[in-house]
Amino acid sequence: MTGFVDLYTEGNTFLHRVDPRVKITAVILLSILAFVLSSLEALAVLLAFIMVLVVLSRTPLAKTAFSFKFVFRLMLLIVILWPLFDRSGEPVIASFGPLVLTEPALLRGVTSATRIGCLATVWYILMFTTQQRDIVRALVKLGIRFDFGLTLAISLRFFPTFSATIGSIMDAQRARGLEFGKGGPLKRTRNYVAVLIPAIVSAMRTADGLSWALQSRAYGARLDRTYLRDFKMKWSDYLALAAVVLVLVLPLTAKYVFGMEL
Amino acid sequence: MIPAPSPGQGDDKIISVRNLRFTYEGGVVAITDLSIDIRKGDYVALVGGNGSGKTTFAKNLNGLLRPSSGIVTIRGRDAARTAVPELAKIVGYAFQNPDYQLFCATVEEEVRFGPLNLGYSEDDIRRKVERALDAMNLQHLRDKPPLSLRLGERRRVSIASVIAMDPDIFILDEPTTGLDTEESDMLMQKLQNLNVEGKTIILITHDMRLVSEHAKRVVVMSVGRIILDSDPRGAFSDLEILRRSNLEPPAVTKLAHALKDKGIPADVISPQELVFHLLRGGESR
Amino acid sequence: MKALELKDVRFKYRGSDNWALDSVSLVVEKGEFITVLGCNGSGKSTICLLANGLVPHAIQGDFEGSVEIFEKPVMGRTVAEIATKVGIVFQEPESQLFCMSVEEEVAFGPENLAVPRHEIRERVEWALELVGMKGYNDRSPFSLSGGQKQRVAIAASLSMHPDMLVLDEPAYALDPIGRHDLYSVLRELKGKHGMTVILAERDAEEAAAFSDRIVIMNKGKVVDVGPPRDTLRNPDKLKRMGIQPPQLSEVASLLNARLSTSKYSFLTVDEAESTITREIIGRGGVVRK
Ligand SMILES: Nc1ncnc2c1ncn2[C@@H]1O[C@H](COP(=O)(O)OP(=O)(O)O)[C@@H](O)[C@H]1O
Ligand SMILES: Nc1ncnc2c1ncn2[C@@H]1O[C@H](COP(=O)(O)OP(=O)(O)O)[C@@H](O)[C@H]1O
Ligand SMILES: [Mg+2]
Ligand SMILES: [Mg+2]
């Protein structure tokens, strides 16, 4: 239940200790790289690099497997679906009636899947090694308005609460003989209403209470708010940042300055 | 251990649980090892602090949760192999928070929802709904939107919607939390009526006053097991057991215990009783 | 100094037909521990919300009369401003804890008040220690029991160093032990810190022992104010207002009736035990085994 959103595992690896702002920057830069690279080989190297980082984060295998399951499913789906829409090029590998599978299309499918794989997994490095509150705090330090950071924090904080509530509501209706996933469309709609209405009512109550609680804890009292938690860039953080920038700049230089096909 | 239940014989045993163990997905063991028999027409108070496993146990009785191991038999049927809607006809369960289920435009519709799901005929449903509305004293509110009602009334609607499914067993999860004495007494009176009609009642609560006034049998739970199963008085004569299960005895019981070596019985549960014992000597002299 | 003064206050929630509070006048002195006692709907929560300005500032309705908090009118002050003087703990633990860790929760108030970082750290540790939640800094509020949540909520108010703490049925969702631990904290707040406290409750079994005064509410009106021994003296009267009388008051009142006296009144089990031992059992009131 909680595990679903909180991917963080306590640890003391280099990835845990590095300043969250550097990690966020790294994730963004690596994402840019994934967009820019176009060759399958280069993207595969990038994906492998990300995987090495994931291994270095010493995240328990169960959690990694759980998180990557979705990514691999998505990648597989792309590989399968891509050739359905992209039928250009030669040679044709196979054809079933109007469906043709060409080699370039397959390659493009695998390439896109790898890119998506990079884009999705790179975020896990951040999530696996950084507490949610530090991510939010880092975003605020990077210049995001405090209210937005707080909104994000509250959403993350209430996700488990809200999913537990939905679970209880579904249980409560099942105890009254309601069977989810059975019956015609009309009945199914009604089933959803039976969950949706109590969920909305409960969310509205929580929201009301929340706004009172925020005000009575002096939210918005002053503009020069202070923060208990703070990060200071250490020399190792600058080093890490430099390394990350290099990881972006080197391939870009190779590609655009020296014209390598990456 | 208690011998395994033998189906067919002793049919007044409406619930029989053998070595129930339940583990949540995250690995929390909520029920360690629990065995109990409950007879038809019994009125059991299931007490214990928050997190002692009461709700988990109840959900194992009506199929919302399936035992990790052990056997739950409801009226001779293995609960693990019976569909939830089938079980709902036998075991009614009113959730602690009525707002988790109320969603209809009127009280009457809300009460109809259960029997409608169970596929009863229209005539049948109409009869059951009327009876449920009567039983919870809701006739005058039948056209009102449930969400506009007071907490005590919403609780009654939620219980009526269970009554309308006409189960033999009623499990009520902390039905009096947040209610005033008056509302709570009225609700308890209604439950008493159901019990007199022969329904089996399982009342989950930590209000020891209610327990002392209504239950025939008290089952005390602590960290996933039963640590005491006795008549209500028995439960009050052992403060240690109550403390271990995060419960507090009523103030008069504490006072009676403090006066134990002065000859006051330790299982006193009402002010009237205590004063009776205090003054008995004086009167008889 | 007056911590709170209500003068002829009437309040009707928007969309409601009746007055939630009707001509309520009440003075709470600094350092007092006041228990507001009444059944559901009697107006306790509304009093709490008035005491920190949420009514009428954030919650709309018809408002008449005057409210002064630490001898300054609430009108013209924001809730956030009043929050530096008055902390509040609500009935539902669920929606008043919104941070991802206990520590942030307790730091949130002082952060908003721009308290310097090292001092926030001290306040957080002090407040968590006071409510018995030391060492829970990094836990998620979601993972705590109801009783622990409420104690964190108290700490989150105390860290703003308020002069008054308002608690609206804080033990509502708690089991007896959670309730007991919460009351220990309240007792300590009164005993060691002399905090001004307004506590709304539906029964006074625990609070009777250490409240300076009890305010009895019924249908939006204050019907009785005074020390617990006076206000809780008549259990039948309380019952008629839908309030569960403390059992010890019932014992005292039964003894008074049977012995044709009015001298008995018990606020604690210990007090009842010693008085009964001395005056009733001592005179052979009980059959000895
Ligand atoms: N959905 C759930 N997932 C994981 N653990 C749970 C869940 N529901 C309850 N628990 C845990 O199971 C134990 C028993 O809980 P519960 O049956 O709700 O107790 P009670 O009803 O006596 O308060 C507690 O430790 C609780 O934290
Ligand atoms: N948000 C609201 N909207 C309309 N009426 C309300 C609202 N909150 C409370 N009331 C009404 O105001 C009266 C007093 O309520 P409240 O102060 O909450 O009492 P208590 O806390 O003693 O239960 C009740 O009649 C209640 O129905
Ligand atoms: Mg429960
Ligand atoms: Mg209230």
Side-chain angles (χ1 to χ4, degrees), chain C residues 13 38-46 48 91 168-169 172 200 202:
Chain C
Y13 287 90
C39 67
N40 282 332
S42 61
K44 305 181 297 296
S45 296
T46 314
C48 293
Q91 188 171 331
D168 187 5
E169 293 191 49
Y172 175 83
R202 275 177 307 129

Side-chain angles (χ1 to χ4, degrees), chain C residues 10-285:
Chain C
R10 305 222 292 164
F11 186 76
K12 188 194 285 182
Y13 287 90
R14 178 185 281 173
S16 166
D17 299 330
N18 38 13
W19 293 99
L21 290 182
D22 194 358
S23 316
V24 168
S25 296
L26 179 69
V27 175
V28 176
E29 291 293 336
K30 192 163 188 302
E32 261 196 307
F33 194 114
I34 299 278
T35 298
V36 179
L37 193 61
C39 67
N40 282 332
S42 61
K44 305 181 297 296
S45 296
T46 314
I47 295 243
C48 293
L49 295 169
L50 274 168
N52 86 332
L54 277 167
V55 168
H57 287 320
I59 298 163
Q60 264 113 32
D62 299 342
F63 175 78
E64 292 170 17
S66 85
V67 179
E68 291 192 1
I69 296 171
F70 290 97
E71 304 188 345
K72 282 199 220 128
V74 286
M75 288 306 176
R77 289 203 273 171
T78 65
V79 177
E81 225 177 295
I82 298 171
T84 61
K85 293 267 172 206
V86 185
I88 187 164
V89 173
F90 300 99
Q91 188 171 331
E92 282 294 327
E94 216 33 79
S95 51
Q96 57 185 319
L97 301 183
F98 43 81
C99 293
M100 286 183 285
S101 69
V102 166
E103 177 177 290
E104 285 169 284
E105 203 68 65
V106 182
F108 188 79
E111 286 177 342
N112 286 326
L113 300 173
V115 173
R117 176 169 302 137
H118 63 92
E119 195 186 329
I120 299 182
R121 167 64 55 205
E122 282 166 20
R123 289 189 185 195
V124 167
E125 298 308 324
W126 167 79
L128 285 180
E129 163 117 53
L130 202 157
V131 300
M133 291 296 290
K134 205 177 154 137
Y136 283 75
N137 300 47
D138 290 330
R139 286 278 295 274
S140 160
F142 175 73
S143 71
L144 303 178
S145 74
Q148 293 172 329
K149 282 183 187 154
Q150 289 299 60
R151 283 184 284 141
V152 170
I154 294 178
S157 286
L158 292 179
S159 63
M160 294 193 287
H161 286 177
D163 295 322
M164 173 160 80
L165 187 62
V166 179
L167 303 109
D168 187 5
E169 293 191 49
Y172 175 83
L174 308 189
D175 65 2
I177 285 300
R179 202 181 161 88
H180 180 268
D181 292 347
L182 183 90
Y183 270 98
S184 310
V185 172
L186 297 186
R187 195 174 293 126
E188 183 170 333
L189 274 178
K190 175 183 159 61
K192 273 202 207 147
H193 302 268
M195 175 72 83
T196 312
V197 176
I198 297 181
L199 168 71
E201 262 296 358
R202 275 177 307 129
D203 83 63
E205 196 81 62
E206 289 99 338
F210 56 93
S211 299
D212 295 311
R213 287 189 299 155
I214 290 188
V215 174
I216 295 184
M217 305 271 318
N218 190 32
K219 296 186 182 143
K221 288 190 166 30
V222 171
V223 293
D224 201 1
V225 186
R229 275 186 216 285
D230 301 339
T231 43
L232 302 176
R233 171 163 292 271
N234 188 342
D236 291 330
K237 202 168 118 200
L238 293 177
K239 273 186 202 158
R240 276 199 298 277
M241 292 186 284
I243 301 168
Q244 177 71 35
Q247 285 191 322
L248 295 176
S249 299
E250 287 195 84
V251 172
S253 140
L254 286 166
L255 284 174
N256 283 337
R258 294 284 298 277
L259 300 173
S260 316
T261 169
S262 61
K263 65 179 176 181
Y264 295 115
S265 95
F266 308 130
L267 296 183
T268 66
V269 171
D270 288 347
E271 178 191 8
E273 185 212 347
S274 60
T275 310
I276 288 174
T277 308
R278 193 175 60 238
E279 299 196 5
I280 295 172
I281 297 178
R283 300 194 186 154

